Amino acid sequence: MSTITFDAVSHAFGERQVLRGIDLRLTEHRIGIVGANGSGKSTLVRMINGLVAPSSGTVSVDGLDVAKKAREVRRLVGFIFTNPDNQIVMPTVQEDIAFTLRRRGLSAEEITQRTTAALHRFGLAGHADHPAHLLSGGQKQLLALAAVLVADPKVLVADEPTTLLDARNARHIGDLLRSMSQQVIVVTHQFALLEGFDRVIVIEHGAVVADGVPEDSLDAYRALLA
Amino acid sequence: MIGLYSPGRSVVHRAPTLLKLVLLSVGVVVIGVLQQPWQLAVAALVVLTLFVIARIPPRAAVAQIAPILWMLVIVVPIQGLLAGWLVAGLMAGRLITAVALAALFTLTTTVTSVLEAFQRMLRPFGRWIDADRIGLLVALTIRCIPLVTEIVTEVLEARRARGTRGSVMALAVPVVVRSLYAADALGEALVARGLDD
Ligand SMILES: Nc1ncnc2c1ncn2[C@@H]1O[C@H](COP(=O)(O)OP(=O)(O)OP(=O)(O)O)[C@@H](O)[C@H]1O
Ligand SMILES: [Mg+2]
């Protein structure tokens, strides 16, 4: 597993203080992040691959400072957003997956081979040449996962990956996330997604208010919501 | 292209993309200058034969050409009355044949291969032009068509659901705003996928 560290990280958007003095060391295989709307979860995880640069403090992945080595870090960290529509770049399913592998210096054969493997792994083989924008929401999120994982990142960060999905597709994505050998960091409002996770962190008003095994953290979060 | 690719292994599919692009350009020009109905008939027959060789499902082919038929329903009678029915008929024939030929290209060519063709074509100019960047630009432009179509549809539906009609501005503003948000999110996803350089 990789080691992701937040060292005295604070962040403000203009006047608005969004994160306050976050110190974290993430080494577990499966880590969940929960918290109320606007508590700062997305801002926090976006920092892991440099989509947001902290106003103060440093974030690093395996010793690489994200602010200075963004390109290297992005090769280690894959990112899944809530809305798969915003992640699909190419017109067809297969092309979108292959697109990730461009500029990686791979041979055409290798690209085809890895793309085909990803298509099968995510149950999209039957849709290889279909227009990506005509897939169902669940299939689009599978495509987004396939397109990120085909590059073989060491860490996968997912910001509410199942929020737009029905219960069945949410469970399917959850099972996939659980079964992955990669380190997984998931932001969610759906507790069921965190079953079997090693650690859950609760964020409230930009600070960590609970951190530990899922049962304890989720109990603390429920108490907070009540 | 535009997600309309119809997979196949025919000669038309396998022909080099650059060759197809050249033939398409030449074909469209030739169709444009044909003056005799019989010449146009021959051109149409050639295009039709190519569709058969490529084994394009008739439904996919019709779907490509149908939109312009609507236009012709309006334009042909007008031109017929103003310039004569022969001219109107020729114009309609040329347009349908040329659009069909272009559709054949999009149905048998993936965007990836068009990108690669572009890159090969631009490689000699690599010092001045970043072919990869241009390729990405083309891909994103194509990707934006269904994205914006979807946004327009949703905005229209939302308007209908609320029972408002309003002006063009009332349609344009939410469409532009949402398109900008979508573009922003797409840009962020590109960065996250490590394709920003
Ligand atoms: N780009 C931005 N510019 C200004 N303010 C922002 C920006 N992004 C987020 N914010 C603000 O920062 C705060 C935290 O947002 P963030 O998206 O991190 O919350 P969140 O915990 O992910 O919430 P949610 O559960 O709703 O996704 C919110 O008040 C939000 O309005
Ligand atoms: Mg969020």
Side-chain angles (χ1 to χ4, degrees):
Chain A
M1 297 299 119
S2 292
T3 303
I4 297 161
T5 53
F6 284 76
D7 191 9
V9 170
S10 293
H11 191 69
F13 287 110
E15 295 282 278
R16 195 183 163 87
Q17 195 70 31
V18 177
L19 293 176
R20 308 155 205 272
I22 304 271
D23 285 298
L24 283 170
R25 216 177 115 80
L26 309 176
T27 54
E28 293 78 6
H29 190 169
R30 303 180 186 93
I31 300 167
I33 297 176
V34 298
N37 290 133
S39 55
K41 306 177 297 296
S42 295
T43 308
L44 182 83
V45 295
R46 279 171 143 81
M47 287 176 172
I48 300 175
N49 76 348
L51 293 173
V52 175
S55 314
S56 68
T58 52
V59 181
S60 61
V61 179
D62 283 342
L64 292 168
D65 185 340
V66 179
K68 292 181 187 133
K69 305 265 181 193
R71 190 168 302 173
E72 283 91 331
V73 169
R74 283 181 194 134
R75 291 201 167 202
L76 296 176
V77 182
F79 202 106
I80 300 284
F81 298 84
T82 309
N83 187 352
D85 266 324
N86 296 334
Q87 315 179 51
I88 297 168
V89 180
M90 295 294 269
T92 67
V93 172
Q94 180 181 316
E95 287 178 281
D96 193 64
I97 297 175
F99 189 66
T100 309
L101 298 175
R102 285 157 54 87
R103 294 191 166 221
R104 297 267 166 149
L106 300 174
S107 68
E109 261 163 65
E110 209 168 337
I111 291 183
T112 311
Q113 191 207 323
R114 282 172 73 165
T115 304
T116 310
L119 282 168
H120 280 98
R121 174 165 172 215
F122 292 93
L124 293 168
H127 301 283
D129 288 315
H130 290 182
H133 69 272
L134 295 183
L135 296 176
S136 74
Q139 288 169 331
K140 280 182 186 170
Q141 198 57 291
L142 283 172
L143 170 57
L145 259 177
V148 167
L149 292 177
V150 73
D152 226 357
K154 286 180 72 183
V155 184
L156 180 75
V157 179
D159 190 358
E160 301 193 34
T162 56
T163 299
L164 300 178
L165 306 183
D166 64 32
R168 189 149 169 268
N169 281 308
R171 217 177 314 125
H172 184 43
I173 295 281
D175 290 341
L176 278 169
L177 291 177
R178 244 186 306 282
S179 71
M180 285 177 13
S181 59
Q182 279 98 341
Q183 187 171 13
V184 185
I185 298 171
V186 183
V187 174
T188 187
H189 294 291
Q190 300 171 343
F191 297 170
L193 194 59
L194 302 177
E195 202 167 293
F197 270 46
D198 305 304
R199 177 176 176 187
V200 171
I201 296 166
V202 184
I203 306 286
E204 173 78 359
H205 297 307
V208 175
V209 293
D211 185 356
V213 294
E215 299 75 48
D216 297 351
S217 292
L218 291 179
D219 278 348
Y221 182 42
R222 280 191 202 98
L224 206 67
L225 289 176
Chain B
M1 299 228 300
I2 322 187
L4 298 165
Y5 178 64
S6 167
R9 317 198 133 271
S10 73
V11 202
V12 186
H13 284 88
R14 283 184 285 117
T17 306
L18 217 47
L19 178 69
K20 282 197 273 190
L21 260 175
V22 171
L23 290 179
L24 171 65
S25 323
V26 173
V28 169
V29 171
V30 169
I31 291 166
V33 298
L34 295 180
Q35 294 298 337
Q36 301 293 329
W38 69 265
Q39 294 171 329
L40 197 58
V42 171
L45 203 66
V46 170
V47 173
L48 189 66
T49 312
L50 288 173
F51 268 87
V52 173
I53 293 173
R55 295 172 186 265
I56 302 294
R59 262 185 49 196
V62 170
Q64 294 287 294
I65 300 165
I68 99 151
L69 293 180
W70 283 112
M71 202 185 83
L72 290 177
V73 168
I74 302 165
V75 175
V76 168
I78 297 173
Q79 234 203 350
L81 291 173
L82 293 178
W85 294 101
L86 179 65
V87 176
L90 272 174
M91 189 239 5
R94 278 196 212 112
L95 207 59
I96 292 173
T97 315
V99 167
L101 193 62
L104 182 69
F105 177 79
T106 62
L107 284 166
T108 59
T109 319
T110 63
V111 171
T112 305
S113 57
V114 176
L115 293 190
E116 275 161 14
F118 259 104
Q119 271 159 21
R120 232 168 302 133
M121 213 160 59
L122 294 174
R123 192 165 298 151
F125 312 103
R127 206 192 296 197
W128 304 284
I129 307 172
D130 182 348
D132 237 33
R133 256 218 136 81
I134 293 183
L136 184 59
L137 211 64
V138 175
L140 286 176
T141 308
I142 294 166
R143 165 70 187 126
C144 283
I145 295 169
L147 213 59
V148 173
T149 309
E150 207 166 290
I151 290 172
V152 172
T153 313
E154 278 178 27
V155 169
L156 282 174
E157 268 170 8
R159 260 165 42 129
R160 219 171 302 134
R162 297 199 329 219
T164 49
R165 276 180 295 130
S167 63
V168 176
M169 278 302 276
L171 172 68
V173 171
V175 167
V176 168
V177 169
R178 286 197 41 190
S179 301
L180 288 176
Y181 271 117
D184 202 35
L186 192 60
E188 196 175 42
L190 275 174
V191 172
R193 281 173 77 172
L195 297 159
D196 58 323
D197 47 6

